[in-house]
Amino acid sequence: MAAPFALRDLFVELNDLKRVHSAGRIGSIAERLFAQGWSALTGGADLETVALDITAKALAASRLCDLDAAFLASTGLDQVQIGDILVSGLDAVGGAVDPELKARLADVLQRGEALQPGHLPAFVAALNHQPRAGVTCPGRARILLEPPENHSEHCLMVAVYGVVLSPFYRADPAVVFLAAMSHHFHNAAMPDAGFTGEMLLGDHLAPIMARTTQWALDDLDLPLREIVERARAVLPDDATAEGRAFHAADCIDRVLQIAQHLRAASLTMGTVLDEMELVHAGPVKGFHDRVLRDMRIP
């Protein structure tokens, strides 16, 4: 069974949520959604509700960025107006999303029900500050691409991809979401030296990862800790539908993270000016064009 090629463009666009920042808000959109997800879970929200809420917000933000419910409400719009705008963001990118899942995501955005926030576990801040290793291979020097993503951004993106992929793999989206949100628990304490560093740890790798993972799990109260542990049972392999959805999402994110660096490096002014219309249509476009032509820019 071939992976769903139709979702490729959506995943490429979603990946940029790791790099979108706004004044007055700390961290990227992906980083903040990661924190929102864990806050809702510790606040007692239903797991599937959280998975759909965070995924819906991510898809809407792929075009709207931080023109989110909080901002729109601050400008005086009511919930119906806010919901309509957020759903328009979802519709703009969600053409390839499973129709039933898309309808559920749209309903979440339209209703705009706030999830009761709980405390933020210590591992959230730690993963925010733990950079990913870059491209590593045993026996070779690493390739570092700046700026690096952090582990909360990666976990959030894998979680969102996993929910979107779940209908294709006939997986439980809530389990996939939680497995992805927790799959780098060990890196809250363990610096990321990549595959290269892990191989150099040899027989010490497994017990170190188990110990550092447990430290993160200990930040969670029961019964949430046990729910997370059950979800993490799908991580070791692709023997389950949830495992397949998770591992598909994980490898897609790892490669798209590098692809965006290469895409930026190969960007041309033809793309920027002609395709993306950097100097866009408007009452002064003719004047703008003359200025650029006269000054031979670019």
Side-chain angles (χ1 to χ4, degrees):
M1 180 171 64
F5 172 72
L7 290 170
R8 180 191 183 280
D9 289 348
L10 169 61
F11 288 172
V12 170
E13 190 166 353
L14 275 169
N15 205 265
D16 280 337
L17 295 184
K18 299 174 185 177
R19 293 168 283 277
V20 178
H21 294 251
S22 295
R25 306 194 188 197
I26 299 173
S28 66
I29 290 178
E31 191 174 315
R32 285 181 267 123
L33 287 176
F34 181 75
Q36 286 180 37
W38 278 111
S39 176
L41 289 169
T42 63
D46 172 74
L47 173 56
E48 185 171 77
T49 299
V50 176
L52 293 175
D53 179 78
I54 296 300
T55 301
K57 289 174 178 174
L59 266 65
S62 62
R63 291 288 170 89
L64 289 166
C65 298
D66 272 322
L67 300 178
D68 59 8
F71 169 76
L72 296 172
S74 75
T75 67
L77 300 189
D78 62 32
Q79 182 52 50
V80 172
Q81 295 168 321
I82 292 170
D84 288 344
I85 291 171
L86 296 179
V87 171
S88 73
L90 169 65
D91 287 341
V93 299
V97 175
D98 173 80
E100 182 179 342
L101 174 61
K102 184 182 174 186
R104 297 181 73 189
L105 297 174
D107 183 60
V108 168
L109 295 173
Q110 197 70 63
R111 287 186 289 110
E113 293 181 4
L115 301 181
Q116 182 65 37
H119 74 280
L120 272 184
F123 60 72
V124 172
L127 291 171
N128 287 348
H129 290 95
Q130 191 74 274
R132 300 266 291 159
V135 183
T136 68
C137 179
R140 298 176 182 273
R142 78 177 56 218
I143 300 172
L144 289 174
L145 298 169
E146 296 290 339
E149 63 180 326
N150 63 47
H151 277 80
S152 64
E153 292 168 329
H154 169 65
C155 288
L156 183 282
M157 199 55 55
V158 175
V160 170
Y161 287 171
V163 171
V164 176
L165 287 167
S166 288
F168 179 81
Y169 289 103
R170 298 176 183 173
D172 182 336
V175 172
V176 177
F177 177 84
L178 192 54
M181 290 282 279
S182 62
H183 79 286
H184 274 281
F185 265 7
H186 57 285
N187 286 119
M190 181 180 180
D192 190 355
F195 186 43
T196 299
E198 291 177 353
M199 291 302 96
L200 291 174
L201 289 175
D203 293 340
H204 299 294
L205 174 63
I208 288 174
M209 288 184 64
R211 192 171 301 120
T212 51
T213 295
Q214 189 60 52
W215 292 345
L217 286 167
D218 288 344
D219 285 340
L220 300 173
D221 296 328
L222 295 174
L224 179 57
R225 186 193 313 157
E226 292 179 340
I227 295 171
V228 172
E229 289 175 326
R230 286 196 295 272
R232 285 175 53 87
V234 309
L235 295 177
D237 53 49
D238 61 357
T240 63
E242 290 72 26
R244 288 188 286 278
F246 164 76
H247 285 289
D250 185 42
C251 75
I252 288 168
D253 183 63
R254 279 188 281 147
V255 175
L256 286 183
Q257 172 64 22
I258 306 305
Q260 66 87 21
H261 285 283
L262 303 179
R263 189 169 69 252
S266 62
L267 186 66
T268 68
M269 287 305 297
T271 298
V272 171
L273 290 173
D274 300 332
E275 295 179 28
M276 301 301 292
E277 300 183 30
L278 178 64
V279 181
H280 51 77
V284 294
K285 185 179 189 307
F287 175 71
H288 287 166
D289 288 340
R290 288 195 301 275
V291 169
L292 294 175
R293 183 173 58 251
D294 293 347
M295 296 191 68
R296 298 179 186 178
I297 298 174

